[in-house]
Amino acid sequence: MNRALPEMLHCLSGPGNGTDMTVLERQRTRVKWQHQEQQNYFGGSEFVGGFLEPSQASQVGDFQDLLGGGGGGGSVLRDVMTRSVKPDPGLESGWPELGRYELPDLGFGSAVLMNGSPTGFEMNSTIRRTSSCPPTEAQVAPEAKGKVSEPAEKMNSAVGRESFKKRKADKVQNTKVVAEDDAKDKRSKVCAEEGESKITTEQTRTKNTTTHTNNREISADTSRENSKASEVQKPDYIHVRARRGQATDSHSLAERVRRERISERMKYLQDLVPGCNKVTGKAGMLDEIINYVQSLQRQVEFLSMKLATVNPRLDFNIEDLFAKEIFPACSANFPTIGSSSEMTNPAYLQFNPVQQMVACCGLEMGVNTPDLMALRRTISAPVSLPETYFDTSCFTQLQPPSTWDADLQNLFNLDSHQGRSISFPSQPFTGSVEASNLKMEI
Amino acid sequence: MISKGATRNSNSRRIKFARRFVSALLHMRNQNPRPGSLSIEGSVRTRSQRIKIAAYLSMAQAVGSRRAWSRAVLSKLGSRARRHMRRMGRSSLGSLKKKRVIRSYSPGELGQAKKLRQLVPGGETMDICSLLEETAHYITCLATQVKVMQTLADNFSK
């Protein structure tokens, strides 16, 4: 332990010294450090105290804070990780938000931490192993690439032990990639705080960004391996694969999920709204949709006015109304009923009370009942004068409101003056229509 | 979203709507004996507005409480809301509104989304994703409403 300490202190103490150490020496120190760490965690907080002894307090004061005075391994590492994540401009998102989408992937880290000691040590070892000072920027990249393979195996095994996560190898690579970001950030942060007192914070920040961009490259490389883009549904969360050449940031993944959902709904709307095929792009389609909804609402208003003029002329009895009820459901154009044999839907056979109507709803519309004949007679006569009056009046009176809300509000105002009371049936009526029981309050 | 059960659902919805609407019309006709007091235009207007409310209400009832927009319509036009409004005046409707939800992320389509929210009932407190879904369902229901009303108007016209 004491043998390796001076070397490690060398590494930590100055930036210039690091160039002297070869990669092999660095790995050696790393391995020794890891072993010592493991011993330490088995034995308690000795290591922390021991490590702190020979070093200068000012340099490792922060590290002591980071270690949290030898608290539980899980909490220590969590602190370390969170602290390392914070100042990094790349990973701006707060931890909980990160956790929302990435926690399943990153969660092996925290889950490992929370689970208990053995897997926690795995995580410790992996983090410690990757922790070493990056002396210069030039050496960071090959170093980082070298380290990708090392923690990969460790993390693979750690993940494999997590029984509640069933993932393929690609997913593990993804998690490794994301964890790599954190690990590297933590390492750079730790080394920055420990040794390099001469380096200002700006330099460390640039180092962080450069390491992060290197990480980005690595992540892009590894994401290229996951060239497939698919979405696996799980009960709690949605796994989204990183596509070829796209960022695996949690933000962008969430954005992509959201965008895909929105585009799916827009496609559905495109099928609904007629004439939407010519327009492309979200803005144009939204305009079309808005126009269509407005036109439909205007049509409802127009038809209600039409019905208002026609209403007092209702002279039919109840069975006729049943017929009208059914026929609008059966076919769009009543006058063409004799010719068209439209709509054979078994749902219509539910209308028990009026047998003749049920028969009418069958294939042939040629069933003649006295009611039907009466209807046909009335319908054949065209509406001439009231219609013209109605049309002109309605076009002067129609002011289609932009909001359905204001429209109904006006209606409330109007009706409250008059104090009428008409109430609506609360349940669907089954058989006869009893007008006296119907009340619609407005 | 489009499934084979949708046509069956739409048919039953159409039937329900037609039933309720026709019954409401009937009731309105029975309840409307006095023609002379108001001018023809005024009476037509009030009656048409009442018919329109009946149409929306019956459509929302046919849909049920499954959709956010139908719930909004029912809460707005429901019997409780009307009683409440009549007792406490029109200002109470403002208190019935839900608290405003700050919609943070909707880049680039704010204007149209706002318009759409105003058009679709209950769309004020929804995010874009669910707003689009509600719009789709609302459009289908409006279309059936228009079809039924058209048929009725054609039938009832002299």
Side-chain angles (χ1 to χ4, degrees):
Chain A
M1 176 178 168
N2 298 324
R3 234 183 331 138
L5 262 181
E7 290 180 2
M8 280 193 284
L9 286 180
H10 265 284
C11 163
L12 298 169
S13 61
N17 297 340
T19 51
D20 300 332
M21 290 179 69
T22 63
V23 179
L24 186 60
E25 285 173 357
R26 222 174 288 130
Q27 280 180 353
R28 207 174 6 117
T29 59
R30 218 181 299 134
V31 166
K32 279 176 192 156
W33 197 8
Q34 169 206 343
H35 283 311
Q36 284 153 16
E37 286 272 346
Q38 281 185 345
Q39 286 172 10
N40 169 47
Y41 277 103
F42 278 116
S45 59
E46 290 177 358
F47 173 68
V48 177
F51 182 65
L52 288 175
E53 272 179 6
S55 65
Q56 302 159 19
S58 62
Q59 282 183 357
V60 296
D62 290 341
F63 191 62
Q64 184 182 8
D65 289 341
L66 284 177
L67 280 183
S75 60
V76 165
L77 271 179
R78 212 177 300 130
D79 287 341
V80 166
M81 283 176 82
T82 49
R83 273 175 167 228
S84 68
V85 167
K86 268 183 213 166
D88 188 357
L91 290 170
E92 298 160 354
S93 65
W95 194 248
E97 203 185 3
L98 194 70
R100 184 157 152 254
Y101 287 94
E102 282 303 325
L103 195 54
D105 296 338
L106 280 179
F108 74 94
S110 48
V112 160
L113 294 174
M114 293 171 207
N115 271 356
S117 41
T119 48
F121 294 157
E122 292 283 350
M123 194 57 191
N124 293 348
S125 62
T126 52
I127 287 184
R128 288 289 177 252
R129 198 194 282 173
T130 57
S131 302
S132 72
C133 53
T136 60
E137 303 174 1
Q139 291 193 347
V140 166
E143 199 179 337
K145 282 216 168 78
K147 277 182 207 140
V148 165
S149 53
E150 285 178 349
E153 318 153 18
K154 272 296 180 182
M155 289 181 193
N156 273 336
S157 54
V159 165
R161 251 167 252 164
E162 298 305 323
S163 57
F164 63 89
K165 295 218 163 56
K166 300 152 197 163
R167 280 191 238 138
K168 304 172 191 173
D170 303 347
K171 199 67 70 185
V172 171
Q173 279 183 349
N174 250 351
T175 66
K176 163 207 61 169
V177 161
V178 182
E180 266 305 309
D181 295 346
D182 291 337
K184 281 177 183 41
D185 295 331
K186 194 202 83 60
R187 168 213 48 203
S188 47
K189 155 93 178 159
V190 163
C191 286
E193 282 197 347
E194 281 173 345
E196 299 147 355
S197 53
K198 292 175 192 172
I199 295 180
T200 61
T201 50
E202 286 131 15
Q203 282 186 350
T204 55
R205 201 141 293 171
T206 56
K207 264 197 188 154
N208 278 342
T209 51
T210 48
T211 55
H212 197 71
T213 49
N214 289 330
N215 296 342
R216 281 293 173 98
E217 291 168 6
I218 293 161
S219 60
D221 286 335
T222 50
S223 70
R224 251 171 240 144
E225 296 164 10
N226 314 328
S227 52
K228 204 172 44 153
S230 65
E231 197 169 309
V232 177
Q233 287 278 341
K234 274 210 166 186
D236 296 329
Y237 40 79
I238 297 175
H239 283 295
V240 178
R241 291 273 168 82
R243 281 189 218 188
R244 205 187 155 90
Q246 289 190 356
T248 57
D249 200 18
S250 71
H251 261 313
S252 48
L253 281 177
E255 277 291 313
R256 198 178 309 133
V257 166
R258 191 176 147 264
R259 261 182 272 134
E260 277 171 6
R261 265 194 225 146
I262 289 180
S263 63
E264 187 187 327
R265 301 220 168 131
M266 294 290 277
K267 265 185 232 156
Y268 182 59
L269 277 168
Q270 207 172 12
D271 296 331
L272 273 184
V273 176
C276 219
N277 306 327
K278 296 145 193 167
V279 195
T280 50
K282 251 200 298 189
M285 269 177 51
L286 275 178
D287 281 332
E288 280 295 320
I289 289 165
I290 288 172
N291 285 339
Y292 189 60
V293 170
Q294 275 174 342
S295 76
L296 281 177
Q297 283 176 342
R298 254 180 265 138
Q299 262 180 305
V300 167
E301 215 177 312
F302 173 73
L303 285 169
S304 68
M305 275 223 173
K306 198 166 175 184
L307 283 171
T309 58
V310 180
N311 217 359
R313 295 192 189 98
L314 283 179
D315 292 329
F316 308 113
N317 50 356
I318 292 171
E319 283 80 34
D320 297 347
L321 285 163
F322 261 108
K324 280 182 215 65
E325 213 183 298
I326 293 168
F327 285 131
C330 280
S331 64
N333 289 324
F334 187 75
T336 65
I337 266 178
S339 52
S340 68
S341 63
E342 221 184 326
M343 293 300 295
T344 71
N345 200 314
Y348 295 129
L349 299 178
Q350 295 169 11
F351 291 125
N352 292 321
V354 186
Q355 289 294 330
Q356 54 215 20
M357 299 307 154
V358 169
C360 289
C361 292
L363 288 166
E364 247 69 44
M365 295 305 194
V367 177
N368 287 327
T369 63
D371 303 324
L372 280 181
M373 295 304 290
L375 271 176
R376 290 213 185 119
R377 252 178 274 127
T378 54
I379 281 154
S380 56
V383 179
S384 54
L385 189 60
E387 275 239 5
T388 51
Y389 157 74
F390 175 61
D391 287 340
T392 52
S393 67
C394 85
F395 282 140
T396 52
Q397 287 173 10
L398 264 185
Q399 294 141 19
S402 58
T403 69
W404 72 283
D405 214 11
D407 186 22
L408 297 172
Q409 279 268 14
N410 291 337
L411 180 63
F412 285 147
N413 298 345
L414 194 59
D415 279 351
S416 62
H417 288 315
Q418 301 185 357
R420 297 265 175 90
S421 72
I422 317 167
S423 85
F424 224 96
S426 55
Q427 301 167 1
F429 54 84
T430 55
S432 56
V433 175
E434 293 176 320
S436 55
N437 294 342
L438 299 178
K439 274 190 188 175
M440 183 165 85
E441 291 171 4
I442 291 183
Chain B
M1 285 189 232
I2 309 171
S3 60
K4 281 190 188 165
T7 44
R8 227 176 295 140
N9 284 342
S10 63
N11 279 331
S12 64
R13 198 165 54 210
R14 209 189 315 183
I15 294 166
K16 277 190 224 171
F17 165 69
R19 272 177 154 178
R20 288 173 196 269
F21 188 52
V22 167
S23 71
L25 285 181
L26 248 191
H27 182 73
M28 267 190 278
R29 177 179 68 91
N30 292 340
Q31 271 226 341
N32 212 355
R34 41 167 173 152
S37 53
L38 295 165
S39 66
I40 302 177
E41 278 195 20
S43 72
V44 163
R45 197 171 195 182
T46 59
R47 210 181 306 129
S48 74
Q49 280 176 338
R50 214 171 286 136
I51 289 178
K52 186 167 61 168
I53 276 203
Y56 280 118
L57 194 54
S58 54
M59 194 71 225
Q61 282 177 342
V63 168
S65 300
R66 282 172 299 196
R67 285 280 158 180
W69 70 265
S70 68
R71 284 194 294 265
V73 169
L74 287 174
S75 72
K76 195 88 194 193
L77 302 175
S79 53
R80 269 190 219 148
R82 281 171 294 195
R83 245 177 271 141
H84 186 72
M85 199 215 69
R86 254 202 286 160
R87 271 188 218 135
M88 301 183 195
R90 245 153 283 126
S91 59
S92 67
L93 273 177
S95 65
L96 284 176
K97 265 195 211 162
K98 297 185 218 167
K99 62 178 173 121
R100 283 187 201 232
V101 173
I102 300 171
R103 300 172 295 273
S104 54
Y105 44 87
S106 53
E109 19 168 299
L110 283 168
Q112 291 148 333
K114 196 171 153 192
K115 254 188 170 180
L116 201 53
R117 277 180 222 275
Q118 287 170 346
L119 283 178
V120 176
E124 303 286 334
T125 55
M126 277 194 251
D127 58 328
I128 292 279
C129 217
S130 36
L131 181 67
L132 290 178
E133 201 177 331
E134 294 293 320
T135 309
H137 194 262
Y138 187 58
I139 284 178
T140 54
C141 293
L142 271 183
T144 56
Q145 200 172 341
V146 163
K147 261 188 237 170
V148 172
M149 287 174 78
Q150 183 83 50
T151 327
L152 277 175
D154 293 339
N155 293 351
F156 286 155
S157 60
K158 266 194 175 171

